Amino acid sequence: SSCGQTFQNHLSTQHHRLSYFLNNPSQKMMKTWFLVFLLWGTASVSGSSQELLRPRALGRSPQMDRVWEATVVGETAYLATGRTGLVILNVSDPSQPRELGWYQTPDARSVAVVVTAAVGEEEGGEKEKEKKTAYVVDQEGGMYILDVLTESKPVLLGRVKEATGTQVRVSEEVAYVARAEARNLFSVKVAEPSKAGVVGNYSTPGHPQRMAVSGTTFFIADNTSLQVVSFADPTSPSLVSEVETSLACSVSLAGELAFVGTFDSGVEVYSVENTSSSSPPKLLSSLQTPGSRIVDLLAVSGEGAAAGVGTVYAMAEGAAGGLLVLDVTTTEAAASTREPVLLGRFETGATATAVAMLTTTTTDEKGQQHQHHHAILSEEEKGVEVVKVENSSTPVLAATYKTPRNAMKVEVVGDYAYVADREEGFWCTT
């Protein structure tokens, strides 16, 4: 399978996103569910605190059309569910996800939610009310801007019919809508929802696969190249620079480095410091992975990196597929090369789709704290595998959970893992 013609933003945001992507989605209605799993627990064993990984399903939502993407904000999940439109669920009790409301659209593919806190005072001394706005991108109907402060009754604030697409990201007063099949990324002014409209458009040379974002700069892996695009002026997005790559399908940022996963050249490491038209991303090094295609990347730096600053977890698909743990920690002697070193490999024997990280802390009887690092893998045939990576040279399987069909994407939020299954919808584990 290929990466899917869509974007996935690896940038950490105030809310957590989960998508699953299919290259040739069926147009027929599919029965899907939202489910919840438990991943993590602790217990005292022989006088010390030990980790217990016990993935199990906690609950699932009512049936709906195929779940394409979900955004979880607090105790509420917002799901883009194809021909069911936007579905809003209360997940405060993971064992009983409860439908709060919905808004019908022709073919909803992506949703972003922006919460504006009640701050300041209006004229007359009244405090400005909290706002909660959902931006739903529909492949047929364009972008719907909805007031979802009252979840049971979403209210349409505005609609941009020409902004059809499969992914949406919102930053301040601009929404960015990706339409992979048309090789477009739109910028939409949304400050006044009733007057929202497309103000800019950038066309990529290839089909956009995934992207990483830093401020108003987008790093796009589009099958043919790594595109660096500035949306500093939303009305006039511009190409900052580009570098040709071999079938680039995933990208992740860590500081001044961009890690690009390819279909036939392994992992490539680029310096993106001071990137400009005269200074394109500089290829520092690469790690070949013969017989494997890198379908997802997660770069971890600073606290939480199991193998030191500059650890990259790559999901590979193919003959030697599975989890690859790469160390890109530098020394003074090697600072100019950043050559990745393969520390360890965990072969899954299944079709890899995505990777997320779970870092937990336990306290022993002496009061000392210990961190535990696990990679959470989604795989089409096996569902979810939890792999212990504290010793990066020998990743060890800690636990598994088999989803009903094909797990396509996983995201970890606190103690919960949200999993998209090709046929069985949206799951949550703890």
Side-chain angles (χ1 to χ4, degrees):
S1 63
S2 69
C3 290
Q5 294 175 357
T6 188
F7 285 113
Q8 172 64 34
N9 187 350
H10 289 279
L11 184 67
S12 296
T13 55
Q14 63 180 351
H15 56 267
H16 303 272
R17 311 182 61 82
L18 171 68
S19 308
Y20 84 87
F21 318 105
L22 303 176
N23 289 325
N24 299 294
S26 169
Q27 295 303 308
K28 65 181 180 179
M29 295 286 285
M30 300 292 293
K31 293 182 178 179
T32 58
W33 294 267
F34 174 94
L35 295 98
V36 184
F37 299 96
L38 175 64
L39 269 180
W40 181 262
T42 60
S44 179
V45 180
S46 301
S48 63
S49 181
Q50 300 291 330
E51 52 188 313
L52 295 178
L53 286 164
R54 301 167 299 180
R56 63 183 186 273
L58 296 181
R60 72 182 188 186
S61 75
Q63 295 179 2
M64 61 191 73
D65 192 11
R66 179 174 289 172
V67 180
W68 288 98
E69 183 173 80
T71 295
V72 180
V73 182
E75 297 179 342
T76 307
Y78 302 83
L79 281 64
T81 64
R83 301 193 184 282
T84 312
L86 173 69
V87 175
I88 305 174
L89 301 176
N90 181 306
V91 293
S92 58
D93 180 357
S95 66
Q96 295 181 329
R98 178 169 55 88
E99 183 175 312
L100 297 175
W102 61 283
Y103 189 91
Q104 181 73 55
T105 71
D107 193 4
R109 295 303 182 93
S110 181
V111 57
V113 177
V114 175
V115 179
T116 304
V119 294
E121 292 187 353
E122 297 177 339
E123 292 183 9
E126 292 185 3
K127 195 173 185 180
E128 183 180 349
K129 295 181 180 179
E130 179 188 33
K131 296 179 181 179
K132 188 178 292 185
T133 307
Y135 300 84
V136 180
V137 164
D138 190 287
Q139 190 163 249
E140 299 177 11
M143 185 173 72
Y144 295 77
I145 305 174
L146 304 170
D147 180 351
V148 292
L149 188 60
T150 303
E151 289 95 344
S152 61
K153 296 181 179 179
V155 177
L156 182 66
L157 302 176
R159 179 183 174 189
V160 184
K161 293 183 179 180
E162 61 269 36
T164 58
T166 54
Q167 283 286 287
V168 61
R169 299 287 181 264
V170 180
S171 177
E172 296 181 351
E173 298 181 345
V174 181
Y176 302 93
V177 178
R179 188 165 64 186
E181 74 280 0
R183 306 182 183 185
N184 284 334
L185 182 62
F186 300 109
S187 51
V188 183
K189 278 282 190 178
V190 295
E192 296 182 62
S194 63
K195 300 179 181 178
V198 174
V199 296
N201 176 32
Y202 180 78
S203 297
T204 59
H207 293 288
Q209 299 293 305
R210 298 193 181 184
M211 72 177 177
V213 181
S214 177
T216 57
T217 303
F218 288 64
F219 296 80
I220 305 168
D222 78 341
N223 258 349
T224 66
S225 62
L226 175 64
Q227 299 270 302
V228 184
V229 182
S230 173
F231 276 84
D233 179 0
T235 65
S236 182
S238 59
L239 178 67
V240 176
S241 62
E242 63 180 330
V243 58
E244 290 187 3
T245 63
S246 179
L247 297 177
C249 66
S250 56
V251 60
S252 183
L253 295 177
E256 299 169 353
L257 299 179
F259 300 88
V260 178
T262 73
F263 266 14
D264 60 1
S265 298
V267 178
E268 298 177 341
V269 185
Y270 291 87
S271 170
V272 293
E273 183 181 10
N274 301 321
T275 299
S276 65
S277 57
S278 60
S279 179
K282 180 183 178 182
L283 179 63
L284 300 178
S285 60
S286 63
L287 177 69
Q288 299 295 315
T289 55
S292 301
R293 295 168 287 183
I294 307 300
V295 298
D296 195 21
L297 285 172
L298 179 62
V300 180
S301 59
E303 185 178 355
V309 176
T311 305
V312 175
Y313 300 91
M315 282 297 277
E317 177 191 64
L323 175 69
L324 307 179
V325 184
L326 311 180
D327 183 14
V328 291
T329 306
T330 59
T331 62
E332 291 185 6
S336 62
T337 62
R338 303 269 186 170
E339 183 174 352
V341 176
L342 180 61
L343 295 178
R345 180 195 300 267
F346 177 79
E347 295 187 9
T348 63
T351 304
T353 55
V355 58
M357 288 300 297
L358 171 68
T359 299
T360 58
T361 302
T362 59
T363 303
D364 62 25
E365 59 183 5
K366 296 180 180 180
Q368 295 181 326
Q369 292 188 332
H370 305 274
Q371 280 198 332
H372 310 279
H373 307 282
H374 293 82
I376 315 300
L377 317 180
S378 62
E379 301 157 8
E380 286 196 21
E381 298 88 352
K382 291 186 176 181
V384 178
E385 290 193 319
V386 182
V387 180
K388 189 174 182 178
V389 292
E390 289 171 38
N391 184 347
S392 298
S393 62
T394 55
V396 177
L397 179 66
T400 62
Y401 188 90
K402 178 68 176 73
T403 57
R405 299 292 179 89
N406 299 323
M408 300 301 294
K409 191 67 183 176
V410 61
E411 187 83 12
V412 173
V413 182
D415 290 342
Y416 295 92
Y418 298 87
V419 182
D421 189 277
R422 183 190 296 272
E423 301 293 344
E424 297 294 334
F426 191 57
W427 296 62
C428 177
T429 74
T430 180

